[in-house]
Amino acid sequence: MTCVFCEISRKEKPAHIIYEDKDIMVILDINPISKGHLLVIPKEHHEAIQDTPVKTLVKTWVIASAFAKIYRDKLKAPGVNVITNSGSPAGQVVFHFHVHVIPRWEQDGFKKGGRHVLSEEEASEITSMLSDYLDIVKSYLNEISI
Ligand SMILES: [Zn+2]
């Protein structure tokens, strides 16, 4: 079975990559719930949170936390949701563990449940907004030495 996140991590499929190291990649969701919706994805394939080795979990959640910090403190998002879905009843769609970082803006329409299609324009705007703050991700990782 093909896995879209494995294909992206092997560069067989394009994605808007915001951050990447040997273990983890952070990409833009192609159907964002809000502007700036990110997916933090370990490169190694594990189906869900319960299947993922602890070291990988730690690194994934620490990077997600760094982006939550960037959104609130640098990009002035008044709210952020950081979540993972495990299993179909919980809304998991891609069965490769990942964490959503969803910045929340006033009037972002989240409550209506509307997702939209990511445009190239929006993708490049968010990529450039975040690129100034990737040192925050590195400083978070330095603290755990992973
Ligand atoms: Zn996979």
Side-chain angles (χ1 to χ4, degrees), residues 25 47 54-55 72 78 119 132:
M25 59 186 178
E47 188 169 310
V54 171
K55 275 191 175 174
R72 190 195 66 182
S119 69
D132 291 339

Side-chain angles (χ1 to χ4, degrees), residues 54-72:
V54 171
K55 275 191 175 174
T56 307
L57 289 173
V58 168
K59 191 164 181 182
T60 306
W61 285 101
V62 164
I63 290 174
S65 305
F67 279 99
K69 178 87 166 167
I70 292 166
Y71 273 129
R72 190 195 66 182

Side-chain angles (χ1 to χ4, degrees), residues 15-75:
H16 295 283
I17 297 174
I18 298 294
Y19 169 85
E20 183 176 23
D21 62 31
K22 65 181 181 17
D23 306 309
I24 308 284
M25 59 186 178
V26 179
I27 66 172
L28 297 180
D29 194 303
I30 55 168
N31 290 120
I33 285 172
S34 70
K35 187 175 180 179
H37 183 169
L38 304 176
L39 304 177
V40 184
I41 310 169
K43 290 182 172 176
E44 224 173 69
H45 183 94
H46 303 286
E47 188 169 310
I49 187 170
Q50 299 89 341
D51 307 304
T52 305
V54 171
K55 275 191 175 174
T56 307
L57 289 173
V58 168
K59 191 164 181 182
T60 306
W61 285 101
V62 164
I63 290 174
S65 305
F67 279 99
K69 178 87 166 167
I70 292 166
Y71 273 129
R72 190 195 66 182
D73 290 5
K74 301 297 181 187
L75 299 174

Side-chain angles (χ1 to χ4, degrees), residues 3-7 43-46 95-96:
C3 167
V4 65
F5 291 164
C6 285
E7 287 177 329
K43 290 182 172 176
E44 224 173 69
H45 183 94
H46 303 286
F95 290 86
H96 177 137

Side-chain angles (χ1 to χ4, degrees), residues 50-135:
Q50 299 89 341
D51 307 304
T52 305
V54 171
K55 275 191 175 174
T56 307
L57 289 173
V58 168
K59 191 164 181 182
T60 306
W61 285 101
V62 164
I63 290 174
S65 305
F67 279 99
K69 178 87 166 167
I70 292 166
Y71 273 129
R72 190 195 66 182
D73 290 5
K74 301 297 181 187
L75 299 174
K76 307 302 175 202
V80 184
N81 294 105
V82 182
I83 54 168
T84 190
N85 302 328
S86 171
S88 300
Q92 186 173 10
V93 177
V94 177
F95 290 86
H96 177 137
F97 168 63
H98 57 286
V99 172
H100 297 258
V101 178
I102 309 167
R104 304 299 307 283
W105 313 96
E106 301 296 346
Q107 314 289 332
D108 62 17
F110 183 86
K111 286 193 176 73
K112 290 180 214 142
R115 288 183 158 217
H116 62 277
V117 176
L118 181 72
S119 69
E120 285 301 318
E121 196 181 26
E122 183 178 341
S124 57
E125 187 192 340
I126 298 158
T127 304
S128 99
M129 277 181 353
L130 290 168
S131 65
D132 291 339
Y133 303 113
L134 295 180
D135 54 326

